[in-house]
C-alpha cells in the first residue's frame, strides 16, 4: 500500500499551512534537512554507498553510539559477533537498515535540540524513543527481519504529536484544554479543531521531509485483525509501531494504571505479531530496563544519576586503545570476506576514532597514473580537500616517501618545527598545514608501496605522544590491510591464468 496524503478539508489545509509556516520561521530544522539528504543519498545507491553511509553516521557522535548499540543488540545476535565500527555495522546490516535507524534518530534529535525548554515537546519525544525501544525488543523476540524498519516507524508513529508540541505549542494547549473539558483524548478532538487527525499531521510531515513511503506506510495506526487473518509484512510493521507507541504512552508514567493497559495491549496484538502475550510482556520489561538509561525526564529514568556520571567522564587514553583493539577484532572477522577497500575503510575509521584524529585520510597508489591519491576521509572539512590530496609516486626527499620506502609507521610530533619544513611536500603545506602532529601508516604489498593511512591533530588537541602499545596496534592493523591486498592479488593472478 502506498500512502498518498491529502488534508481533505479547508480547515486541515489551513492547519498544515500554519504548520509549514512555523517550520519555516524556525528554520525548517536545517540540521535534519542536511542529514536526511545525506542519508537518503547513501540509501539510494550513490557511488561509494557503504562509505557514504559510514561517514554520514560518524558525522554525529550520538548517532554513532546508537547505531553501534543497535548493531550489537540482541536483535542482531544471529550474526554471532561484536560490531565495533560503523563501517562493519553497515557491511553487516546494510545501508537500508542503518539508514532507517539514522532517519528516525536524527529527526527526534533535531526536534529535541531546537526545543531546549519545551517540556511538553520533550515528553512526546521521550515517548517516541521509548516506543522505538519497545519495538526493538519485540522485534528481536519475534525474530523478524523487519525489525529495524519497525523500530523507526514506532519512533515516528507519534510524529504528529511531536510536530504540534514543538512547532505549535499554543494550539496543542488548546487541544489539551478542550479534551480535558470534554473528558476525551486529544486524538479524538484533533479532527474537529484542526481539520485532520494527529496521524495525518505526522504523515504530512514525513512526506514533507521526504521520508521513504515505506516508512510512512509503517507509521499508520492499525487495529488487530480477526483471529486467523493473514498479516502482510507492511501490516505487521504498522501493527508493531501502533502497539509500541501505545505501550510507550502507558509505560511512560511507570504506574499501575499504565501497566494494566500494557497487559491488555499484549493480549490484543499477540496473534497479529506472532508472539505469545507472556513473551511480549517479557520483551516490554526488557525495554523498560534499557529505557531507564536512555531517557532523561520520564519517571522510568529514575536512575538518571548513573547516566549523568557516565556522560561527565572524560575519555581516557585506555579507551582509545580499546577502540583500536575493537577495530582490529572487526578486521580479523572480515579478513576472509571483505575486499581491500572495505578493510582500508574499517582501519581508517578505527584510527580516526581510537586516536582522536582531527582528520584521517586513506591514500591509494594508482600505478597507471604514477601517483598517490586520497580516496576516503573522516573529519570536518576533509571531504572538500580530497581533490587536492594527490602527488607523484616518483621518490622525493620528504617524510611521506620516507615512510613509504621504509615501510615503517612515522609519527611527527611537531610538524611546525622550522627545521622540519623542508621535509614537508607542497601538497601537504597547501592543504593540511593546520595539523600540529600527524601519523603515517604505510601499506606495502609484496614489497611494493600500495598506499598509506594518514591522521593528524590540530591545535584543539593537547600535545600528543604515542605509546609503544599504540605503535604495536597500528602495525597490527596495517598488516591486516596488507594481507587483504595480497590475497586480492593472488586471486587476480589465479583468475588471469585460468
Amino acid at each position: 500500500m502506498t500512502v498518498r496524503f491529502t488534508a481533505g478539508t479547508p480547515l486541515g489545509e489551513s492547519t498544515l499551512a500554519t504548520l509549514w509556516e512555523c517550520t519555516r520561521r524556525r528554520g525548517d530544522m536545517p540540521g535534519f534537512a542536511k542529514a536526511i539528504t545525506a542519508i537518503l543519498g547513501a540509501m539510494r545507491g550513490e557511488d561509494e554507498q557503504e562509505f557514504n553511509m559510514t561517514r554520514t553516521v560518524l558525522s554525529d557522535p550520538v548517532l554513532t553510539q546508537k547505531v553501534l548499540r543497535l548493531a550489537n543488540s540482541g536483535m542482531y545476535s544471529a550474526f554471532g559477533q561484536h560490531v565495533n565500527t560503523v563501517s562493519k555495522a553497515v557491511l553487516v546490516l546494510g545501508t537500508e537498515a542503518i539508514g532507517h535507524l539514522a532517519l528516525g534518530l536524527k529527526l527526534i534529535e533535531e526536534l529535541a535540540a531546537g526545543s531546549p525548554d519545551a517540556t511538553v515537546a520533550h515528553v512526546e519525544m521521550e515517548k517516541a524513543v521509548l516506543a522505538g525501544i519497545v519495538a526493538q525488543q519485540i522485534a528481536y523476540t519475534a525474530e523478524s527481519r523487519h525489525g529495524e524498519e519497525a523500530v523507526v516507524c514506532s519512533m515516528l508513529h507519534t510524529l504528529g504529536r511531536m510536530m504540534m508540541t514543538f512547532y505549535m505549542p499554543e494550539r496543542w494547549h488548546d487541544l489539551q484544554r478542550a479534551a480535558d473539558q470534554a473528558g476525551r483524548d486529544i486524538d479524538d478532538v484533533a479532527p474537529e479543531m484542526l481539520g485532520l487527525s494527529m496521524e495525518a499531521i505526522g504523515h504530512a510531515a514525513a512526506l514533507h521531509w521526504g521520508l521513504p513511503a515505506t516508512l510512512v506506510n509503517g507509521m499508520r495506526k492499525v487495529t488487530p485483525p480477526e483471529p486467523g487473518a493473514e498479516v502482510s509484512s507492511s501490516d505487521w510493521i504498522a501493527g508493531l509501531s501502533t502497539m509500541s507507541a501505545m505501550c510507550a504512552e502507558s509505560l511512560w508514567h511507570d504506574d499501575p494504571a499504565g501497566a494494566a493497559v500494557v497487559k491488555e495491549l499484549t493480549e490484543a496484538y499477540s496473534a497479529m505479531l506472532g508472539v505469545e502475550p507472556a513473551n511480549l510482556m517479557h520483551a516490554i520489561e526488557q525495554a523498560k530496563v534499557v529505557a531507564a538509561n536512555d531517557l532523561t525526564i520520564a519517571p522510568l529514568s529514575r536512575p538518571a544519576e548513573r547516566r549523568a556520571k557516565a556522560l561527565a567522564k572524560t575519555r581516557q587514553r585506555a579507551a582509545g586503545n580499546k577502540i583500536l583493539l575493537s577495530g582490529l577484532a572487526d578486521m580479523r572477522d572480515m579478513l576472509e570476506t571483505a575486499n581491500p577497500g572495505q578493510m582500508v575503510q574499517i582501519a581508517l575509521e578505527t584510527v580516526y576514532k581510537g586516536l582522536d584524529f582531527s582528520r584521517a585520510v586513506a591514500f591509494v597508489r594508482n600505478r597507471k597514473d604514477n601517483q598517490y591519491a586520497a580516496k576516503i576521509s573522516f573529519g570536518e572539512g576533509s571531504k572538500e580537500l580530497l581533490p587536492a590530496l594527490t602527488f607523484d609516486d616518483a621518490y622525493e626527499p620528504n617524510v611521506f616517501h620516507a615512510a613509504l620506502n621504509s615501510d615503517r609507521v612515522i609519527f611527527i610530533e611537531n610538524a611546525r618545527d622550522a627545521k622540519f619544513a623542508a621535509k614537508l611536500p607542497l601538497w601537504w603545506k597547501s592543504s593540511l598545514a593546520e595539523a600540529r602532529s600527524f601519523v603515517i601508516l604505510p601499506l606495502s604489498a609484496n614489497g611494493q608501496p600500495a598506499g598509506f593511512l594518514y591522521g593528524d591533530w590540530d591545535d584543539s588537541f593537547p600535545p600528543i605522544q604515542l605509546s609503544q602499545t599504540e605503535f604495536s596496534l597500528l602495525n597490527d592493523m596495517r598488516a591486516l590491510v596488507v594481507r587483504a591486498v595480497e590475497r586480492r592479488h593472488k586471486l587476480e593472478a589465479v583468475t588471469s591464468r585460468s
Side-chain angles (χ1 to χ4, degrees):
M1 172 181 144
T2 302
V3 176
R4 293 184 177 82
F5 177 80
T6 55
T9 66
L11 178 57
E13 295 291 351
S14 174
T15 296
L16 289 182
T18 304
L19 181 59
W20 305 148
E21 178 58 31
C22 290
T23 63
R24 281 190 290 272
R25 282 205 308 270
R26 299 188 64 166
D28 199 16
M29 297 200 300
F32 178 69
K34 183 178 178 182
I36 196 173
T37 300
I39 293 165
L40 291 175
M43 289 173 72
R44 286 169 181 158
E46 295 178 353
D47 292 342
E48 297 180 332
Q49 181 185 35
E50 291 167 355
F51 177 67
N52 282 345
M53 183 60 77
T54 302
R55 183 167 54 198
T56 298
V57 172
L58 281 173
S59 67
D60 186 322
V62 174
L63 191 54
T64 297
Q65 177 258 331
K66 288 187 178 292
V67 164
L68 290 176
R69 201 155 122 198
L70 180 65
N72 283 292
S73 70
M75 188 190 299
Y76 300 109
S77 61
F79 294 109
Q81 52 196 3
H82 290 294
V83 178
N84 304 306
T85 55
V86 174
S87 301
K88 185 177 176 185
V90 174
L91 285 173
V92 170
L93 304 178
T95 54
E96 186 172 342
I98 298 293
H100 285 156
L101 174 71
L103 287 171
L105 291 176
K106 197 67 184 171
L107 174 56
I108 291 173
E109 179 193 335
E110 288 292 338
L111 281 168
S115 179
D117 302 316
T119 303
V120 175
H122 272 220
V123 167
E124 293 302 323
M125 291 168 202
E126 288 214 346
K127 288 176 183 176
V129 172
L130 179 54
I133 295 169
V134 170
Q136 178 186 342
Q137 294 297 324
I138 293 175
Y140 164 55
T141 302
E143 299 180 347
S144 170
R145 62 188 179 88
H146 303 291
E148 68 281 337
E149 190 171 348
V151 169
V152 177
C153 291
S154 298
M155 287 193 292
L156 300 183
H157 191 82
T158 56
L159 179 57
R161 297 171 71 96
M162 286 190 278
M163 295 294 293
M164 290 299 296
T165 55
F166 180 81
Y167 285 115
M168 300 172 66
E170 298 83 3
R171 296 293 293 276
W172 176 263
H173 290 311
D174 291 342
L175 285 167
Q176 205 162 33
R177 187 163 42 248
D180 290 343
Q181 290 173 352
R184 301 163 70 194
D185 291 331
I186 285 179
D187 289 335
D188 294 332
V189 300
E192 301 165 13
M193 297 182 65
L194 303 177
L196 68 177
S197 66
M198 285 295 157
E199 180 182 355
I201 293 173
H203 288 189
L207 294 171
H208 182 71
W209 278 312
L211 293 183
T214 53
L215 289 184
V216 181
N217 189 34
M219 292 162 55
R220 61 195 161 90
K221 188 173 184 178
V222 171
T223 56
E226 293 296 320
E230 186 176 342
V231 178
S232 67
S233 59
S234 62
D235 283 346
W236 188 90
I237 292 169
L240 178 54
S241 73
T242 301
M243 179 193 167
S244 298
M246 294 171 74
C247 280
E249 180 72 29
S250 299
L251 287 172
W252 195 83
H253 296 286
D254 199 22
D255 59 16
V261 172
V262 169
K263 189 172 185 302
E264 292 174 6
L265 288 170
T266 60
E267 292 169 354
Y269 281 88
S270 170
M272 181 181 190
L273 300 178
V275 182
E276 291 295 322
N279 293 336
L280 283 178
M281 285 300 298
H282 178 72
I284 292 167
E285 288 302 317
Q286 290 295 107
K288 287 172 65 176
V289 174
V290 175
N293 292 317
D294 266 16
L295 306 183
T296 57
I297 59 176
L300 269 176
S301 64
R302 288 181 186 124
E305 296 77 14
R306 286 177 318 195
R307 188 168 180 269
K309 287 178 183 176
L311 290 173
K313 286 182 179 178
T314 55
R315 205 183 110 180
Q316 300 299 314
R317 198 59 169 268
N321 288 349
K322 186 176 179 183
I323 290 172
L324 295 177
L325 285 166
S326 296
L328 274 168
D330 276 356
M331 293 174 70
R332 290 190 183 101
D333 286 343
M334 307 298 290
L335 184 59
E336 297 303 317
T337 56
N339 61 44
Q342 291 167 336
M343 291 291 281
V344 166
Q345 182 177 312
I346 294 176
L348 191 69
E349 179 191 339
T350 299
V351 296
Y352 172 66
K353 295 195 299 184
L355 295 179
D356 268 337
F357 283 137
S358 302
R359 292 171 298 206
V361 186
F363 288 77
V364 175
R365 185 181 188 181
N366 185 325
R367 294 180 183 276
K368 182 180 177 182
D369 296 336
N370 297 315
Q371 68 174 17
Y372 291 91
K375 295 296 183 184
I376 305 172
S377 67
F378 292 118
E380 186 175 353
S382 63
K383 183 181 178 183
E384 289 71 27
L385 294 174
L386 288 181
L389 301 181
T390 61
F391 62 94
D392 291 341
D393 64 2
Y395 180 80
E396 293 180 4
N398 64 52
V399 66
F400 290 90
H401 280 290
L404 290 164
N405 277 17
S406 65
D407 195 27
R408 291 174 50 203
V409 175
I410 288 185
F411 167 56
I412 304 302
E413 183 179 354
N414 182 12
R416 297 172 186 174
D417 187 333
K419 298 190 291 292
F420 188 69
K423 301 293 185 184
L424 293 168
L426 181 61
W427 65 265
W428 185 93
K429 292 177 180 177
S430 62
S431 303
L432 301 171
E434 291 178 9
R436 184 185 60 221
S437 308
F438 63 84
V439 178
I440 305 169
L441 280 71
L443 305 171
S444 294
N446 300 315
Q448 293 294 317
F452 63 94
L453 306 184
Y454 165 91
D456 64 29
W457 298 271
D458 60 23
D459 286 327
S460 65
F461 288 78
I464 297 293
Q465 279 291 343
L466 292 184
S467 67
Q468 284 305 118
T469 300
E470 287 162 329
F471 273 110
S472 177
L473 292 171
L474 294 177
N475 276 313
D476 288 347
M477 195 170 300
R478 69 193 189 98
L480 287 173
V481 175
V482 168
R483 281 176 61 185
V485 174
E486 291 177 343
R487 183 171 61 85
R488 169 60 66 86
H489 287 169
K490 287 179 182 177
L491 289 173
E492 289 174 347
V494 170
T495 303
S496 64
R497 287 197 299 267
S498 60

